Every structure is written in C-alpha cells, then in structure tokens.
Amino acid sequence: MADGKTNIWKVMFFAVIAVIFLSVLILFFLLSDSNENSDKENITTEDNENFNEYFSVQLTRQQLNRLLNEQIDEENVKVDFGENISQVTTSFEFMGRSIEAVMELEPEALDDGNIVLHQRNVSLGNFSLPGSEVLALMDAQADLPEYVNVQPDNNRILINLDELDIGDNGYYIQAETFKLADDDIVFNVGK
C-alpha cells in the first residue's frame, strides 16, 4: 500500500520537474538558432558573475500550462499554473474507484537563479495530508536527481538550476522571475 502512495507522489513531483525542464529546454533549442548571429554582448548577471546570459525566454501562465501539459500528455498527470499556485493532479484506481491526488505548490525564483517550490496543500481524495510528511516520504523513497533538494522541515522543494547542465556545451538555465499573479515567468539561458 505504501508503494502505491509513494509512486503517486513520485510521479507528480517528477512530472512538475520534467515539465519545467523540458519547456525551457525546448524553448532553448527553438530560439538558439535565431540568436547565434546576434551582435548583443553577453551580459553578466549581478547574482552570478560566472553566468553569461545569451537570451531570455518569457512565458505567460497560459503558455506554460499548454507547453507543460503537451509534454506530459501521455502521463496520468495534469499541471495547472493558476494565479497564485501550481496544482499537480493525478488519479489512480483503488478498489474500483478513481481517487484524485492533488499537490499545490507555489513556485518562486530565487536571487541566485534557482527555483523553490513551496508546498501549500496535499490532498488524497477528500482528505488533506500533512505536507511535511509527504515531502519526507518523497525525500526518503524517491530517487531524485542531485539538483533537487527536498526540504520537508521547510515544506519546500529546491530546484538548483545552477547544478543542471544542458547540452554538451555547458549551457545553464537561471530563473529570473516566476510571478504567477503578474503572468511574468522569465528564464535566462547562458554559460
């Protein structure tokens, strides 16, 4: 029984991470050809002197939702970025009934370009679950990448984008803003 619950939360967590990563990666490859001949100088960010920004990708909530849900279309997971929170929803069959599991996260871009997902609510059917316990279970049971740091005591998940190397040429992603209420989601890509 515990394995079934673990797999649901594991799938939901990896779906959010994969969707964010894949959306930025796809946009990077789509836009990289158009920016190769740019005369613009590389700009060094104030927060990380080693990061040279090549271009930025700006998205609205609607664009991000469409992009993420297209990427996970075959999975039994739905991601919805609302005005204040991101809601990850999945369902599974238990004793002939469909049970819905929902995790609500509030994303935030940190000054260092990383993303923190503040866990706000976790529910299984009509039951609210203790978020710190779900995150502790996820941290203990899930095989997470090194750049993902689950912090159950703080009810958050830290995604260290600065530890995530994209491609063979050492490209990195930094989150500049992730303000859902303002419809302002911006990622920088560079070296």
Side-chain angles (χ1 to χ4, degrees), residues 108-169:
E108 176 189 1
L110 300 176
D111 291 338
D112 62 2
N114 294 319
I115 295 176
V116 64
L117 302 171
H118 300 280
Q119 184 275 313
R120 296 297 180 220
N121 186 32
V122 179
S123 63
L124 185 61
N126 292 328
F127 298 103
S128 183
L129 301 175
S132 60
E133 296 297 321
V134 171
L135 291 177
L137 181 63
M138 182 186 298
D139 189 33
Q141 299 295 322
D143 185 22
L144 302 173
E146 290 183 21
Y147 59 87
V148 176
N149 182 1
V150 179
Q151 301 172 345
D153 294 337
N154 297 325
N155 280 334
R156 69 185 200 167
I157 301 165
L158 180 63
I159 303 170
N160 295 305
L161 294 176
D162 57 356
E163 295 177 13
L164 181 62
D165 192 17
I166 300 174
D168 296 333
N169 296 324

Side-chain angles (χ1 to χ4, degrees), residues 33-135:
D33 290 338
S34 64
N35 286 335
E36 284 181 359
N37 297 325
S38 176
D39 293 331
K40 184 178 177 182
E41 285 186 15
N42 294 335
I43 300 172
T44 302
T45 63
E46 293 177 13
D47 297 327
N48 186 350
E49 293 180 14
N50 297 327
F51 184 81
N52 292 316
E53 177 186 333
Y54 290 123
F55 63 90
S56 295
V57 178
Q58 184 169 5
L59 300 166
T60 64
R61 287 188 318 268
Q62 181 181 10
Q63 291 169 328
L64 185 60
N65 282 328
R66 187 174 38 233
L67 183 64
L68 295 178
N69 285 303
E70 284 176 4
Q71 295 300 315
I72 59 171
D73 187 37
E74 296 178 12
E75 300 292 329
N76 187 22
V77 176
K78 182 177 186 247
V79 178
D80 182 36
F81 284 93
E83 281 192 34
N84 297 314
I85 60 169
S86 169
Q87 193 171 57
V88 181
T89 308
T90 189
S91 61
F92 62 95
E93 294 292 322
F94 180 72
M95 299 180 79
R97 296 188 145 224
S98 180
I99 299 177
E100 187 174 78
V102 178
M103 181 180 277
E104 294 178 351
L105 302 162
E106 183 180 344
E108 176 189 1
L110 300 176
D111 291 338
D112 62 2
N114 294 319
I115 295 176
V116 64
L117 302 171
H118 300 280
Q119 184 275 313
R120 296 297 180 220
N121 186 32
V122 179
S123 63
L124 185 61
N126 292 328
F127 298 103
S128 183
L129 301 175
S132 60
E133 296 297 321
V134 171
L135 291 177

